[in-house]
Amino acid sequence: MWKRLLAVCLCLILTGCAQGEEYYTYGYICGSKGVVIFAENNDQSRRLGCVFPGTPVTVVAHQGEWRWIHLGHTEQEGMLLGYVRVDQVADEAPDMQLPQVTLQGDEQVTLLSEDQHITREILEPGETLTLLGQTDVYWLVRAGEQIGTIPMACAEPAQQAIAGMDADFLKQVAQEEADRQALQAFREQAEAAYGADSRAWPLDQRLEHDRLEEACGILNVWVNELPADDEIDQQAATDRAKDCFRELWGIDAETGEWHIFTAFGHSRMEPHVRLWQFTFEEKACAESSFLLQLTADTGELYRTSNPDAFMQARNANGHTVTDTLHNTMEEWNRRLGRDVAEWTVEEQFAFAQTPIAKLAGYRQNAVLPNQWEIPLSEALSTARLGLMHRYGLETETLDAWQMRAEASEVMGERCYVFSWFCWKQDQALWECQYTAQVNMGTGELMYLTASEAQDT
């Protein structure tokens, strides 16, 4: 039904092109030899199959000098759809017999659809079939009212029938079979040398595998390439990827608990963006896998896979969001050489953009000062003066305490928040004594607060 609707719609679209030409519902292949079915309405496109004169077809639509057909006079799933020329289809079957073939061997044979994905019927050994032609390395046959394909090894047609096949089509089939054999041989050699997982193969092996697959008509979304001389080399890119992974998740992939799969190339959807691509996969949990891409020329982080899915897999393996947030923060402390309390507002904002900070909801109100807003140094002076005036504090007192600065958006207001902490030896912690909030746009002192002990 779906195909009939498609045919009707397509015919309506092509009415202008048809210019009153007759629309065939049913027809037959005609001519003196096998007729090639093309993938598109031009003879430079791929040859999908070759069928003998007398083969029944249904004309789905017509486009100028071409007819869009499928085999047989009934519609089924998995049918071969392609183009033949207008003079290669007739209303009546030509006065010639289609060749016959007999199934060889002692086992049943499965009659498959033309695309080899659907089982049409189970055929018995020795059964005689009508040979319609060939598609790829399968015979096109008719068994009763069913049309489909069988492997070529299951039947051996008369030489006269094979001689009627189109020579260019047979060359294409031979070349495609040679390409498949070359691909299979390469895979076996690469797997023996580097393992079954092609992600672990060297870059040049992945590139050659791509070339052989493309020759077989297999086009992957990711296209493997080799880096140019002016692009980051593999070792530098790998080191950068490991650093990014640590910065994003607080995980050291060099501990031996992770696989690191490397690729270089581009996505077909972005052919001009050359990338290093790294997949970090936990050995104990293959579902715990995270992909990140770096630009080939600068090594900047370009894109990552879904952080939430990665964290869910990690959580299922016993790693919580809280633990991961803590580990990532510790990694940033190590890299920056300072405790989180000493981070600049720029560093605080950068950390808030990491996947784990977003998943944990950590400091999601952090902002960066704009050029036209009050500089942090001026806002700090305003806060210090306010505290000294209101609470009678001395400069030395404030200088002796630890000051922490944040830039946040609170209730729609962008502001600096300054806090002064005093070390409590008996409790072994920093305790907040005073807080001052300054408007980033106007420099206005918005409020001052003191701890309960200081307020009294």
Side-chain angles (χ1 to χ4, degrees), residues 367-376 378-379 382 406-410 412-418 437-446:
V367 297
L368 285 177
N370 295 308
Q371 290 184 346
W372 60 85
E373 292 179 312
I374 302 298
L376 185 141
E378 292 184 19
T382 299
E406 299 177 0
S408 304
E409 183 171 328
V410 181
E413 292 285 351
R414 291 168 57 87
C415 59
Y416 294 109
V417 179
F418 301 99
Q437 184 171 311
V438 179
N439 188 290
M440 294 173 66
T442 64
E444 175 188 0
L445 186 62
M446 300 177 66

Side-chain angles (χ1 to χ4, degrees), residues 240-252 278 280 290-294 301-307 310-311 314 321 323-329 331-332 335 350-360:
R240 173 62 183 138
K242 292 176 182 177
D243 289 341
C244 285
F245 193 53
R246 280 194 296 265
E247 291 173 18
L248 295 177
W249 298 104
I251 298 172
D252 183 0
F278 296 89
F280 294 84
F290 189 73
L291 178 147
L292 62 83
Q293 296 174 333
L294 307 177
L301 183 62
Y302 184 75
R303 182 186 290 119
T304 73
S305 57
N306 189 314
F310 176 65
M311 193 62 239
R314 294 277 289 162
V321 170
D323 289 341
T324 305
L325 178 67
H326 174 76
N327 293 339
T328 307
M329 192 174 293
E331 170 58 31
W332 276 58
R335 183 174 60 86
F351 183 81
Q353 307 314 304
T354 61
I356 186 58
K358 291 183 177 181
L359 291 173

